[in-house]
Amino acid sequence: MDRLKGQFQALLGQRVTSLARVALAQDNKLSPLMATLLFTCCNSRNFELLVEQDTVRFEELSSTNNLLFASFELEPSEQLIAYPCTEIDKIPQTIASLTEIWAGKDETEFLVAVSFWDGGKNHIISVCTEGDEAELMMNLEELWQRIDDMIFSYGTLSHQLYTSAKDIKDTAVSLVGSK
């Protein structure tokens, strides 16, 4: 399992101007891939999130080829394109801090969510990565309810707050009596 803590730090200080899903285009049909999310920044930097069952991959797309990626091989008649997320009203926004939420311990630890915050410590958006999709959550209370329920499933949750590449605050909560 890919456990790269802090992989979203590249967004700190970036002004995200749009969010999109990667969509599979074939025969004039678009199929948004719910396991993906594309962050476009005002300085033309693009970052793609891909959630798979055992991996959360977050990478900056190359400025020279800007190729989107998916978890499967494309057929010759298929291509990947950006499909805008229109339900988000808090973008554009500059990411001042972010919180990664991890479940489990040691070798079984995995990322279950990430929340993005503005300079006034206001919630912008969260992405739940617990399953096999990048689920957008605009409502912070909805995310906290989901996180509260996770402690009973996983026994341990840790929150890592990133405000800069060097400033990391880490907290862990364990269910009493869990192994």
Side-chain angles (χ1 to χ4, degrees), residues 150-161:
M150 286 180 191
I151 190 77
F152 295 104
S153 299
Y154 303 117
T156 299
L157 292 176
S158 67
H159 297 229
Q160 295 189 303
L161 173 65

Side-chain angles (χ1 to χ4, degrees), residues 16 18-22 36-40 46-49 59 61 66 68 81-83 85:
V16 176
S18 70
L19 290 174
R21 296 280 182 191
V22 174
T36 64
L37 199 55
L38 181 66
F39 295 78
T40 300
N46 291 298
F47 299 86
E48 186 179 341
L49 168 67
E59 293 182 15
L61 301 177
N66 240 0
L68 302 171
I81 64 167
Y83 183 81
C85 295

Side-chain angles (χ1 to χ4, degrees), residues 7-122:
Q7 62 184 327
F8 293 90
Q9 284 182 294
L11 284 176
L12 290 174
Q14 296 291 319
R15 184 162 181 80
V16 176
T17 56
S18 70
L19 290 174
R21 296 280 182 191
V22 174
L24 181 65
Q26 181 182 29
D27 301 327
N28 293 325
K29 292 181 186 172
L30 285 179
S31 300
L33 305 175
M34 300 309 286
T36 64
L37 199 55
L38 181 66
F39 295 78
T40 300
C41 302
C42 68
N43 57 4
S44 300
R45 292 177 75 185
N46 291 298
F47 299 86
E48 186 179 341
L49 168 67
L50 175 63
V51 176
E52 296 178 278
Q53 197 168 29
D54 62 348
T55 309
V56 174
R57 181 174 156 191
F58 185 75
E59 293 182 15
E60 183 170 4
L61 301 177
S62 168
S63 60
T64 56
N65 64 14
N66 240 0
L67 292 177
L68 302 171
F69 51 86
S71 60
F72 54 88
E73 299 244 351
L74 295 175
E75 298 294 326
S77 63
E78 297 173 328
Q79 68 178 20
L80 298 175
I81 64 167
Y83 183 81
C85 295
T86 57
E87 70 273 23
I88 301 161
D89 59 357
K90 293 183 180 177
I91 300 289
Q93 196 73 246
T94 300
I95 307 297
S97 61
L98 62 96
T99 305
E100 291 180 351
I101 303 168
W102 293 78
K105 279 184 158 182
D106 303 322
E107 294 302 313
T108 62
E109 189 175 45
F110 61 98
L111 184 71
V112 292
V114 60
S115 294
F116 300 96
W117 310 89
D118 68 14
K121 299 182 182 175
N122 298 304

